[in-house]
Amino acid sequence: MDNPNSRSSHLRRTPTLGGVSFFYTLIVALFFLRNWADNSEAMFLIPGLTILFIIGLKDDLVVLSPFSKLAAQVISVTFILNNEAFMVNSLHGFFGIYDLPILVSYLIGGFIMVTIINAYNLIDGIDGLAAIVGIVILIIYSTIFYMTQDYFYLLLSLTLNGCLIAFLKYNLSSSSEEKIFMGDTGSLIVGFIISVLTMRFLALPSEKLEDLPFIVENIPLIAIGILIVPLFDTARVFTIRLANRKSPFSADRNHTHHILIDYFNISHKKASLIIGAFNLVFVYLIIVLGSTSFNFWLVAVIVLTVIVLAYFFYRYNYSFSNLKRKIKLKRKFNDVKKRGKNILKNDKPKE
């Protein structure tokens, strides 16, 4: 059960083990899907899923340190990167880069997967958001793998999407008896599967890329566009925490969804739908541009979007200038309070 605290967006104790159902569903599904895989991918997915399931479950029951979870993620990712289906050997001319050395491929793959897992884990802060964003991302990957005839990944995407759609009914329920969170168990598992699908997308062989509706060299930027919501929110929150000289893994209410709720006074459902709709529209724009434009214009659109979003959200008392102002004001307040205590102490009549 999740007990509400000063950071919580809910008011009642709520079960947090919704992610347990994701794990069992995926394990059963992989048993039936394994024959669709060309490189025995199912056998490499199961160990990673199991490790993250155990770590996520323990974190939901007894809070673990961020470094314990990070270590589990690295071990899980290692299983995936040892399968040739997920090796990114080429960037297909992205900014003039083609073949990648194997060591660089491992490092890039590990960084991408760990980043996606943590980014998805961080957006799970209000009702419906993680599920809605996950559904949008999985619909896009389902479409891509249908077009490339990668049916194992198509069915894997649809399986997890079914989990999230079923979970969403209870996550958005107004009844306290029905309501449930996916918890770290769920967010780590969903983030892991999305990172696996992303790696497969980036590692698609050249003969399958011809079926996609965008220029091949734009694939890395398309992947960023698909994951824009979790990646932007993570980058923004980490920047603010580091600017405040805090650990990037420390908890706060600086997330994009918290600002929508706190400053615009809208419900969890509306905030989640707004963010999910933005993700869908942005991906559509990136895919349209990716079918006709080369790297420069896509990079320009992504950078401009990030700058606009950063300005929009930073101006609501989360800008660096406002943060500095708050810190200075707090220090002045503490100084005045200290002086007041000293004056009262000195003015106190002696017996």
Side-chain angles (χ1 to χ4, degrees):
M1 303 291 281
D2 186 17
N3 295 311
N5 55 39
S6 57
R7 287 184 55 254
S8 300
S9 298
H10 60 288
L11 302 176
R12 298 180 179 179
R13 295 179 75 234
T14 308
T16 61
L17 299 181
V20 173
S21 64
F22 300 172
F23 174 73
Y24 288 119
T25 303
L26 286 168
I27 293 297
V28 172
L30 286 170
F31 174 80
F32 292 100
L33 300 181
R34 69 188 191 280
N35 293 328
W36 290 83
D38 297 327
N39 296 287
S40 302
E41 288 95 320
M43 295 301 104
F44 289 79
L45 280 168
I46 290 172
L49 276 173
T50 305
I51 290 168
L52 290 181
F53 168 70
I54 294 169
I55 289 295
L57 184 61
K58 187 169 182 180
D59 188 55
D60 285 330
L61 299 173
V62 182
V63 178
L64 297 174
S65 69
F67 298 103
S68 300
K69 291 192 285 187
L70 184 62
Q73 291 166 20
V74 171
I75 296 170
S76 301
V77 163
T78 303
F79 285 99
I80 300 302
L81 296 179
N82 279 319
N83 188 300
E84 60 179 323
F86 305 104
M87 290 297 295
V88 183
N89 299 314
S90 173
L91 293 184
H92 309 289
F94 176 67
F95 282 114
I97 303 171
Y98 286 91
D99 294 336
L100 292 174
I102 189 164
L103 179 60
V104 175
S105 180
Y106 273 113
L107 291 174
I108 290 175
F111 175 77
I112 289 171
M113 290 192 71
V114 170
T115 299
I116 292 172
I117 292 169
N118 283 289
Y120 189 83
N121 181 239
L122 287 172
I123 65 167
D124 184 26
I126 60 173
D127 296 344
L129 179 59
I132 288 173
V133 170
I135 288 168
V136 170
I137 292 171
L138 291 167
I139 286 172
I140 296 161
Y141 277 136
S142 298
T143 306
I144 288 171
F145 292 125
Y146 174 75
M147 297 177 77
T148 60
Q149 298 181 11
D150 270 305
Y151 296 120
F152 172 78
Y153 302 99
L154 165 63
L155 295 170
L156 181 63
S157 302
L158 293 175
T159 301
L160 185 55
N161 224 341
C163 292
L164 292 177
I165 292 169
F167 164 78
L168 194 60
K169 174 185 183 297
Y170 296 95
N171 189 220
L172 292 177
S173 175
S174 56
S175 169
S176 58
E177 287 77 17
E178 291 186 354
K179 197 172 194 63
I180 193 169
F181 298 152
M182 69 169 67
D184 271 20
T185 312
S187 60
L188 289 175
I189 287 173
V190 178
F192 177 70
I193 295 298
I194 288 175
S195 71
V196 166
L197 296 174
T198 303
M199 287 303 298
R200 178 56 185 171
F201 176 47
L202 295 173
L204 282 171
S206 54
E207 62 269 16
K208 293 191 174 186
L209 297 175
E210 299 172 359
D211 300 320
L212 296 176
F214 39 78
I215 299 171
V216 172
E217 69 178 56
N218 289 328
I219 283 179
L221 295 174
I222 300 293
I224 292 173
I226 293 170
L227 300 165
I228 188 67
V229 168
L231 293 181
F232 170 77
D233 187 63
T234 301
R236 179 185 168 280
V237 168
F238 275 26
T239 303
I240 290 175
R241 289 171 184 172
L242 292 171
N244 281 323
R245 298 180 181 178
K246 293 181 179 178
S247 166
F249 298 103
S250 59
D252 54 34
R253 282 185 68 85
N254 283 332
H255 291 279
T256 305
H257 47 269
H258 287 143
I259 295 176
L260 288 176
I261 291 171
D262 295 343
Y263 282 87
F264 296 94
N265 196 28
I266 59 178
S267 65
H268 288 205
K269 188 183 293 186
K270 286 182 180 178
S272 298
L273 288 172
I274 288 169
I275 295 172
F278 165 78
N279 197 359
L280 190 60
V281 171
F282 186 80
V283 172
Y284 176 76
L285 175 64
I286 287 294
I287 289 176
V288 169
L289 287 174
S291 63
T292 56
S293 306
F294 288 89
N295 296 162
F296 175 79
W297 293 110
L298 275 182
V299 171
V301 169
I302 291 174
V303 170
L304 183 62
T305 302
V306 169
I307 290 172
V308 170
L309 288 174
Y311 173 76
F312 176 77
F313 285 105
Y314 282 155
R315 67 189 293 265
Y316 286 95
N317 292 330
Y318 290 88
S319 65
F320 291 116
S321 58
N322 282 329
L323 287 170
K324 288 178 181 177
R325 222 176 286 129
K326 283 183 177 182
I327 293 167
K328 288 179 181 178
L329 186 63
K330 190 174 181 180
R331 285 175 182 169
K332 286 181 181 179
F333 176 77
N334 289 335
D335 289 340
V336 171
K337 192 176 178 182
K338 192 174 181 181
R339 286 176 197 164
K341 285 182 178 179
N342 290 334
I343 291 170
L344 289 172
K345 189 176 180 181
N346 293 331
D347 288 347
K348 188 177 179 181
K350 296 179 179 179
E351 294 180 359

